Amino acid sequence: MKQQGKLRRRIALIAALVALATLGTVAAYSASSDLLMRKVNAAVEPGVVTYATLYNIDTVSGADLLAAGNRAVNRGGKVLFNFDTLQDKKVVGRIVVNSLQASEAMERYNFKLDTGSEAVEAVAQQFEALLGRKVAVIRCAHQDYGMPVIVCASIDMTDMDVNNLVAYTYDRKADSYEQLAAGSITADAGGMVCIKTAKAGYLIITQGD
């Protein structure tokens, strides 16, 4: 009976993974401790930094992240998590997390990103009027992650010099913004931008002076 129960759980897991891979716009998912541990077990290699990827995760606890990071360390490796946001079968955003830096007291991290909603467009128009030049906007679920993360997204950087970009973090509720430190943003000609930051909210990307 126990073996049959394990088999049914495995079949359910496989079905869920297949559904995740074939959906166009994927709904949000929770990352359980068991899922994180399986990802670590599959990715960890002694003496090497490796990556484990999860999709459209809007709920994962700090305690589970920390435990997963420690599992990798106990096996002689280090695993960083890619939390990818999927839309229409494409990765439109990614947050890279070192789970060893997660706060055990954090009940819920949300690692989904938004680059195309009406709220994002409204903030883009607001900052284009304020700065007098084109901007791109990434909306994060947290105003402050409480740990350094790397936020990456595919954005429209037409007419921007990818070697001369600046980034701001904007708190819409407080209506306040601040420029992130020089060197915190990198980009390529293909439209992928990455920002290393703990503060997030709305991330504003534009060309520097």
Side-chain angles (χ1 to χ4, degrees):
M1 294 295 290
K2 288 184 178 180
Q3 289 181 342
Q4 290 178 347
K6 288 182 179 178
L7 180 59
R8 283 195 294 269
R9 286 194 293 272
R10 285 183 180 178
I11 292 172
L13 173 61
I14 292 170
L17 291 174
V18 170
L20 178 60
T22 56
L23 283 173
T25 301
V26 184
Y29 289 88
S30 298
S32 66
S33 174
D34 183 54
L35 174 60
L36 293 173
M37 291 301 184
R38 289 200 307 272
K39 288 287 186 177
V40 166
N41 291 342
V44 68
E45 294 182 26
V48 179
V49 177
T50 54
Y51 292 83
T53 301
L54 299 97
Y55 300 98
N56 284 35
I57 298 298
D58 75 342
T59 304
V60 56
S61 76
D64 287 344
L65 273 175
L66 194 58
N70 285 323
R71 166 71 65 86
V73 171
N74 291 338
R75 296 195 170 192
K78 181 178 181 180
V79 175
L80 302 181
F81 284 97
N82 293 328
F83 289 95
D84 286 6
T85 297
L86 289 178
Q87 187 172 359
D88 297 328
K89 299 182 181 179
K90 295 181 181 179
V91 176
V92 297
R94 167 174 290 172
I95 299 182
V96 184
V97 175
N98 178 357
S99 61
L100 291 172
Q101 296 178 320
S103 170
E104 190 171 10
M106 188 73 165
E107 292 184 2
R108 180 192 180 202
Y109 285 105
N110 183 338
F111 291 119
K112 289 190 69 178
L113 296 174
D114 170 18
T115 59
S117 68
E118 291 183 1
V120 165
E121 181 60 28
V123 170
Q125 292 176 1
Q126 176 185 347
F127 272 84
E128 285 178 350
L130 176 67
L131 300 175
R133 52 186 180 268
K134 180 180 177 179
V135 307
V137 177
I138 305 169
R139 183 186 184 187
C140 303
H142 293 280
Q143 189 61 44
D144 192 332
Y145 287 100
M147 61 177 171
V149 298
I150 300 175
V151 178
C152 300
S154 180
I155 61 175
D156 180 9
M157 292 187 287
T158 306
D159 299 326
M160 292 188 193
D161 181 357
V162 297
N163 297 310
N164 183 30
L165 296 177
V166 294
Y168 301 85
T169 175
Y170 174 53
D171 184 336
R172 197 175 190 186
K173 288 184 178 179
D175 194 25
S176 63
Y177 69 97
E178 63 178 284
Q179 186 172 339
L180 296 176
S184 61
I185 180 170
T186 59
D188 61 37
M192 181 63 69
V193 63
C194 292
I195 302 169
K196 186 174 182 179
T197 182
K199 295 183 178 180
Y202 289 82
L203 294 172
I204 315 299
I205 301 98
T206 190
Q207 186 169 312
D209 296 326

